[in-house]
Amino acid sequence: MASAAANDDFFLKDPRELFMLFSGGEITLEKPKPDPVPEPVKDTVNLSVKSSSPGQTVLTNHPSLLDNVKLFGNNLFGGKQGSKDPNLMCIKTSVTLVRSNFRGLDVGNVFSDILELGQELIGNQVTLQLVSNDVDPATGSGKLSGKVTFEHWTKPRNLLRSTPFEFNMDFYVPKNFGTPGAILVFNGHNNLDVPILSTITTEFKITDAHVVMPDKNVIGFFCNSWVFASDMDKDGRLFFANKLYTPASTPAGLKKLRANELKEIQGDGTGERKEWDRIYDYDVYNDLGKPDDPRPTLGGSKEYPYPRRCRTGRKLNPDGKTETRLAGSLANNYIPRDEQFDEVKKSGFLGNSLKGKKHQNVASLFVHEQDFESFDHVRELYVPVGEESSVEEVINNQQQPFELIRQFVKASGDNKNAFKYPMPRLIAVNKDAWTQDTEFARQVLAGMNPLLIETLKEFPLKRPSAVTAEIVEPQLEGLTIGEALAKKRLFVLDYHDRLLGYIQRINDLKTSQAYASWTLFYLTKDGTLKPICIELALPGKDGGKPTFRVFLPSREKDTKDWAWELAKAHVLSNDAAFHQVISHWLRTHAAIEPFIIATNRQLSIMHPVHKALVSHYKNTMDINQAARKSLINAGGIVETTFTPQKYSMEISSKVYAGWRFIDQALPNDLLKRGMAVRDPSAPHGLKLVIEDYPYAKDGLDLWAAIRAWVKDHIDIFYADDKAVKADEELQNWWTDARTKGHADITEGWILADSKDNLVQIITTIAWVASCHHAAVNFGQYLYAGFMPNHPSMTRKLIPEEGTPEWDALQLNPEKYMLSMLANAVQSKLNITTIEILSTHASNEEYLGERPAGWTDDERVKAAFKKFSTRIEEISALIKSRNKDPANKNRLGAVKVPYELLQPKSGPGLTNKGIPNSVSI
């Protein structure tokens, strides 16, 4: 067996060296120089081989073995043979691509290198053709150039890090060929079926291409897509030039290709999807449970409506209803290859997952008991302020990606802080400020779930209730309830109507215990909220009337009423569950996926609406398939750590029945909840009922900025409403999204029948994917990372006075409260999860940003530049608001500014930043 020189990196200068490894040769591996942003490789191969067998040839610094072998000659109008023909013109083309490397623990990529080499040697190579905007009468499609081969394919590369390669080629075409509007790529490296390894696939990612015409005009191609072997994609991969066209304005030579590509992407709705497929189709959520642990199929019925997810086509279980689940933690559900995390995102996600698992496991060394004993006992999970991190570091820097892995490398055996969780900013300045009632109320406006508070519209309530005027009015600063209602000073957080129907089923599980909660708040004269009372309800037996308990804040400023504290914990547990499966999962992750599928099925990549939305879809399908595998599935993290347990997703289905697209627009949402009223003289035409409502205040500025940009973008391509209605792709897209992607919801839609409606549609999708998601996602660790502040689970009901349980509460209230909340195992699993979810990738793309070269249209770039500038202005405005002491709801007793809608962020756990998409 060959021996390789000792080396820290697995780096092959040429994949042919693998042949020498298996044949007994001795190879010197060359370590690459550090290069965080590799330049495209253009040089010939430097191959260093020393034979271990007598008589074999030694090659040193030899050009690539394929350099002088023309196994696939250039066709007509291809190579140098046309250079002197006066009837031909030369079109110079460059293509930059990245070859596949290790994806996770996929060793198949090593073998794919061997396979690619073998394919090159037998003449199965990668070729490129140009497609003209002008029609070839013989085909009815664009004129085709001859094929040109990607020569010097086997260039040196690092199997662990993506290396861009640039290929330059000349095309000689007739002078009447016209302007290239597309390129056609054939990956001739056929796949190989190996019983042990399954199918070894050959793939590469074309990042971009440039065509230089004889007049020096440059045509760009923004590709950013994976190309599989032509035996899996027999017609090759088509990439259109980086131009935007509605169907009506598409060059004649591209119209047929445009339509055919959409048909290919739509598929025929049959068969099991394979890794190399590029098909977008819909399916119901029938893959969450198992035959021995079933869950309802979500979607496709009146009883359990739901948005659709990406169809995989896997076979059904013997029950004929549920889709088989993939085994193994590394197994992925099918999504199109281009929707998968890129290398940086995937390595960061896996690294953060590993870091979180280390936290979870090593934290057990510091928490031995099943239940926490005290709040200080919970605090032992975190790196103490002043030891590994100062308060300033916690507040300003947080933990950067892989910081805990770095600590692992350097940590000595007696480093007691290695692998502890980062200190949540909530308790970094004041470890007890979170217990204050004012902070409990403030987080309803500026916490991780600020979307549920609404004005109280009437009193007494129409439903049965134990809350009376005698309970409420003494706390209203001299106002009557009627006066407070008229002045819009009373607000509610209502989980009574939303949860009462499930409380008995949840409590029958025995492992968690819950109430249907209803919490009343009053807006004080200083503009802050204070809680008035909490009503907790249990359903009556056999359909009888519910039973109620009402809890009031302690009247003594420095004395805690622990029954009130337990009541707050039950409210927060309801809020945590509703936040995770409704505000977060349902309204962003699940609701956006059908729009992603519809956009790819019905809108060409050349369509201006596709271009506007595509950045708002990045990584969403990948994180969603991961969630179906381990987060929202039967026995997954949500069911393990949140009070509703096995009913969590079922409850989200019931809430989705009332989901309306028009209500996802921030202004409409605020109006519906009574948190704003129409006022033409107010900014954005809305006056906030609570002026210092951070989520709404910052959100309206961002909403208006997004809408202004979308309007500018749409104005470029549509002259009037008639042009919108005449756009067949656009109409098919919106019909597909409504009637297939969200097929169970028939109300609350607007039609794409005018420019204004189209702007509203695109703005709403972009808002939900960016700002809405950021507001409910990146504050999770900030507010729930310290479990008692926002517990995900309650395991006991509140004891009655005079019982042994009540006595235990009075004797040791912290211990009793913690015995009621999530235990240590559940807490660590939840903390680990939300730490991962709250962490930004190092290559995140934020609101107001687009990848380099995303469009060649100067009008589109100018409109987006205007938008980017406005986002920067809003960022400065948010900073100034947070510094204004008059805005008391933005900082609170915990001294944490509201930055969840601060657009930009660095990587890591920063508690701010708005990615363009639902990317985590």
Side-chain angles (χ1 to χ4, degrees):
M1 185 67 184
S3 61
N7 205 311
D8 293 333
D9 293 90
F10 183 17
F11 182 73
L12 298 180
K13 296 200 68 180
D14 192 290
R16 281 163 291 199
E17 298 174 13
L18 287 171
F19 281 121
M20 296 299 295
L21 278 171
F22 288 106
S23 62
E26 182 177 316
I27 294 177
T28 300
L29 299 179
E30 183 174 311
K31 183 175 181 179
K33 297 179 181 180
D35 187 5
V37 183
E39 292 295 324
V41 175
K42 301 180 182 179
D43 298 333
T44 57
V45 175
N46 292 321
L47 181 64
S48 180
V49 180
K50 181 179 180 181
S51 174
S52 60
S53 302
Q56 288 193 353
T57 304
V58 176
L59 301 175
T60 304
N61 294 329
H62 195 281
S64 167
L65 296 178
L66 297 177
D67 281 359
N68 299 312
V69 180
K70 301 298 183 184
L71 296 176
F72 192 99
N74 294 314
N75 290 344
L76 181 63
F77 308 143
K80 295 180 180 179
Q81 66 267 33
S83 60
K84 296 181 180 180
D85 190 327
N87 297 315
L88 302 180
M89 64 177 177
C90 178
I91 299 178
K92 294 185 175 294
T93 303
S94 66
V95 179
T96 302
L97 59 81
V98 175
R99 293 167 63 192
S100 64
N101 61 351
F102 284 112
R103 288 189 278 136
L105 301 178
D106 183 5
V107 297
N109 298 99
V110 178
F111 294 95
S112 70
D113 262 37
I114 302 175
L115 177 60
E116 286 184 6
L117 171 62
Q119 295 288 313
E120 286 280 328
L121 290 173
I122 65 173
N124 292 341
Q125 296 173 291
V126 180
T127 64
L128 180 73
Q129 284 180 283
L130 302 181
V131 184
S132 174
N133 285 336
D134 295 347
V135 174
D136 182 346
T139 64
S141 189
K143 298 176 182 177
L144 280 175
S145 75
K147 293 181 178 179
V148 173
T149 303
F150 284 65
E151 297 183 349
H152 311 298
W153 182 265
T154 52
K155 295 181 180 182
R157 73 187 187 104
N158 187 334
L159 289 178
L160 297 179
R161 185 182 63 193
S162 295
T163 304
F165 293 89
E166 183 178 305
F167 293 85
N168 296 300
M169 52 196 76
D170 292 343
F171 287 82
Y172 289 89
V173 299
K175 289 185 176 180
N176 65 349
F177 181 77
T179 301
I183 57 176
L184 188 59
V185 181
F186 288 86
N187 178 0
H189 299 154
N190 293 331
N191 296 328
L192 181 67
D193 287 327
V194 180
I196 297 177
L197 299 171
S198 186
T199 300
I200 300 176
T201 58
T202 64
E203 60 175 357
F204 54 85
K205 183 178 186 178
I206 294 187
T207 58
D208 58 75
H210 293 86
V211 170
V212 182
M213 300 298 289
D215 62 1
K216 307 303 180 184
N217 179 44
V218 178
I219 303 165
F221 294 79
F222 185 72
C223 306
N224 202 34
S225 181
W226 290 91
V227 179
F228 283 92
S230 56
D231 57 342
M232 302 302 174
D233 189 2
K234 299 185 185 301
D235 295 327
R237 274 300 310 280
L238 188 71
F239 295 97
F240 292 106
N242 200 9
K243 305 288 185 180
L244 297 181
Y245 303 106
T246 63
S249 63
T250 306
L254 304 183
K255 287 187 175 182
K256 185 176 179 180
L257 295 173
R258 177 173 182 151
N260 288 344
E261 187 187 38
L262 287 177
K263 289 181 181 178
E264 179 182 334
I265 291 173
Q266 291 166 10
D268 61 6
T270 64
E272 181 176 352
R273 299 276 64 83
K274 302 300 183 182
E275 178 184 6
W276 48 82
D277 286 336
R278 192 166 60 104
I279 294 175
Y280 293 78
D281 203 356
Y282 305 101
D283 208 346
V284 295
Y285 281 70
N286 62 347
D287 62 341
L288 301 182
K290 297 176 290 185
D292 59 343
D293 190 15
R295 295 292 182 273
T297 293
L298 304 183
S301 69
K302 291 184 178 180
E303 185 177 10
Y304 299 113
Y306 220 65
R308 300 303 194 258
R309 48 95 171 178
C310 181
R311 179 184 179 277
T312 70
R314 287 199 305 274
K315 65 180 181 179
L316 299 179
N317 286 306
D319 62 10
K321 298 179 180 179
T322 59
E323 187 174 276
T324 53
R325 291 181 58 80
L326 296 177
S329 59
L330 296 176
N332 286 326
N333 296 301
Y334 165 80
I335 55 173
R337 182 69 171 93
D338 290 345
E339 300 294 342
Q340 295 179 23
F341 290 162
D342 61 25
E343 177 188 344
V344 174
K345 177 75 173 181
K346 187 164 189 174
S347 63
F349 183 74
L350 292 175
N352 285 325
S353 298
L354 173 63
K355 178 182 69 174
K357 287 294 184 183
K358 281 293 183 183
H359 286 168
Q360 186 180 345
N361 294 337
V362 180
S364 300
L365 300 175
F366 305 96
V367 182
H368 302 284
E369 298 82 3
Q370 183 77 355
D371 292 339
F372 296 103
E373 294 287 319
S374 66
F375 297 150
D376 283 337
H377 200 192
V378 182
R379 294 185 188 101
E380 291 180 16
L381 295 174
Y382 310 101
V383 178
V385 173
E387 294 188 18
E388 288 288 333
S389 303
S390 67
V391 174
E392 289 75 17
E393 287 173 331
V394 171
I395 292 177
N396 297 324
N397 301 324
Q398 288 294 301
Q399 302 292 333
Q400 297 301 307
F402 307 110
E403 171 64 16
L404 270 292
I405 293 178
R406 183 188 67 78
Q407 290 184 21
F408 169 71
V409 173
K410 74 170 187 176
S412 60
D414 61 353
N415 185 350
K416 66 179 181 179
N417 289 326
F419 307 116
K420 286 191 174 186
Y421 291 102
M423 178 68 73
R425 291 172 61 181
L426 183 87
I427 56 173
V429 174
N430 184 329
K431 68 186 183 72
D432 294 318
W434 63 274
T435 65
Q436 297 179 22
D437 288 347
T438 53
E439 180 61 22
F440 166 67
R442 186 190 76 87
Q443 289 183 27
V444 176
L445 295 173
M448 70 181 192
N449 192 23
L451 285 68
L452 271 295
I453 185 172
E454 53 190 326
T455 58
L456 180 65
K457 298 178 176 62
E458 60 185 10
F459 194 88
L461 304 179
K462 290 182 179 179
R463 65 166 177 81
S465 172
V467 178
T468 64
E470 289 74 19
I471 292 173
V472 174
E473 286 188 340
Q475 305 180 68
L476 303 185
E477 297 179 323
L479 297 178
T480 65
I481 290 182
E483 291 170 335
L485 285 173
K487 293 177 179 292
K488 298 186 182 298
R489 303 279 285 275
L490 290 174
F491 302 86
V492 294
L493 188 62
D494 184 1
Y495 291 118
H496 178 278
D497 293 344
R498 292 182 171 107
L499 292 177
L500 186 63
Y502 276 88
I503 294 299
Q504 191 59 57
R505 279 180 276 180
I506 293 169
N507 292 349
D508 286 345
L509 296 173
K510 305 300 184 185
T511 48
S512 61
Q513 299 289 289
Y515 298 95
S517 62
W518 187 86
T519 309
L520 183 64
F521 299 92
Y522 171 71
L523 182 64
T524 64
K525 292 177 180 178
D526 69 355
T528 61
L529 287 180
K530 75 170 184 177
I532 299 298
C533 66
I534 295 172
E535 181 185 66
L536 302 180
L538 292 174
K541 294 182 179 180
D542 301 323
K545 292 182 179 180
T547 59
F548 300 97
R549 296 179 68 182
V550 178
F551 299 84
L552 302 177
S554 174
R555 296 185 180 183
E556 301 294 331
K557 185 176 181 180
D558 298 324
T559 302
K560 283 189 181 298
D561 181 333
W562 282 95
W564 166 254
E565 298 299 321
L566 298 187
K568 287 198 301 183
H570 270 277
V571 172
L572 291 166
S573 174
N574 287 343
D575 188 68
F578 202 93
H579 160 268
Q580 196 63 271
V581 297
I582 312 297
S583 300
H584 183 204
W585 167 258
L586 172 65
R587 291 182 62 180
T588 64
H589 288 262
I592 286 294
E593 184 158 347
F595 297 125
I596 300 173
I597 298 171
T599 299
N600 284 278
R601 284 171 56 84
Q602 301 294 350
L603 293 180
S604 167
I605 196 170
M606 293 189 287
H607 199 287
V609 172
H610 190 293
K611 181 66 73 173
L613 286 172
V614 66
S615 282
H616 296 292
Y617 296 155
K618 184 179 179 182
N619 294 326
T620 303
M621 291 180 73
D622 204 343
I623 196 64
N624 283 6
Q625 68 84 19
R628 300 203 312 274
K629 185 175 65 175
S630 60
L631 188 71
I632 62 173
N633 59 302
I637 293 171
V638 166
E639 290 194 0
T640 302
T641 62
F642 289 87
T643 299
Q645 296 189 64
K646 67 182 291 184
Y647 297 109
S648 297
M649 290 298 290
E650 188 175 326
I651 291 171
S652 77
S653 169
K654 299 302 183 183
V655 174
Y656 177 68
W659 181 92
R660 300 292 181 265
F661 177 79
I662 57 173
D663 294 337
Q664 308 314 301
L666 177 63
N668 293 347
D669 173 56
L670 294 172
L671 290 167
K672 183 177 180 180
R673 291 190 283 125
M675 299 303 294
V677 294
R678 296 193 185 278
D679 184 349
S681 66
H684 319 304
L686 294 181
K687 178 177 175 56
L688 293 177
V689 174
I690 300 177
E691 182 63 24
D692 184 18
Y693 182 3
Y695 163 74
K697 192 80 169 179
D698 297 349
L700 284 173
D701 288 333
L702 292 164
W703 167 272
I706 295 172
R707 199 179 197 287
W709 158 62
V710 173
K711 184 180 184 304
D712 288 345
H713 184 86
I714 293 303
D715 282 345
I716 295 171
F717 300 97
Y718 296 96
D720 50 32
D721 295 347
K722 183 179 178 180
V724 171
K725 288 186 283 189
D727 188 330
E728 185 177 0
E729 278 187 16
L730 185 68
Q731 298 305 318
N732 289 342
W733 164 66
W734 195 232
T735 298
D736 213 55
R738 292 185 295 109
T739 64
K740 294 182 179 179
H742 285 278
D744 301 331
I745 302 299
T746 58
E747 300 176 352
W749 296 99
I750 55 175
L751 298 179
D753 56 1
S754 68
K755 289 178 64 175
D756 282 347
N757 278 0
L758 180 58
V759 168
Q760 184 77 354
I761 289 167
I762 298 172
T763 303
T764 300
I765 295 172
W767 161 264
V768 171
S770 57
C771 301
H772 178 142
H773 179 258
V776 298
N777 183 72
F778 294 104
Q780 290 189 83
Y781 193 81
L782 169 61
Y783 289 109
F786 182 67
M787 182 273 292
N789 177 69
H790 216 126
S792 63
M793 177 171 284
T794 47
R795 295 179 290 145
K796 294 180 180 179
L797 299 179
I798 300 174
E800 300 279 356
E801 289 190 49
T803 63
E805 288 276 289
W806 181 266
D807 294 338
L809 171 62
Q810 305 309 312
L811 183 65
N812 192 336
E814 283 191 17
K815 181 177 180 179
Y816 187 91
M817 181 175 179
L818 290 167
S819 74
M820 186 187 79
L821 306 181
N823 62 35
V825 174
Q826 293 164 329
S827 295
K828 288 181 288 180
L829 178 58
N830 191 47
I831 294 170
T832 296
T833 303
I834 62 177
E835 182 191 7
I836 296 168
L837 296 179
S838 301
T839 300
H840 288 296
S842 59
N843 66 339
E844 198 70 83
E845 183 185 280
Y846 295 98
L847 192 66
E849 297 178 348
R850 285 290 189 273
W854 71 289
T855 181
D856 288 348
D857 193 311
E858 294 300 326
R859 302 166 301 169
V860 171
K861 288 193 284 189
F864 194 79
K865 175 63 176 175
K866 177 182 173 184
F867 172 58
S868 299
T869 301
R870 178 55 185 154
I871 294 300
E872 292 174 2
E873 294 170 352
I874 294 172
S875 178
L877 184 59
I878 291 172
K879 290 179 182 178
S880 68
R881 287 171 180 162
N882 285 337
K883 292 178 180 179
D884 187 346
N887 297 324
K888 298 180 181 180
N889 295 326
R890 302 189 75 90
L891 199 65
V894 295
K895 305 301 180 186
V896 177
Y898 185 76
E899 296 181 310
L900 295 179
L901 289 179
Q902 179 63 261
K904 299 298 187 291
S905 171
L909 197 60
T910 65
N911 312 306
K912 61 183 176 182
I914 305 174
N916 275 324
S917 61
V918 182
S919 60
I920 188 63

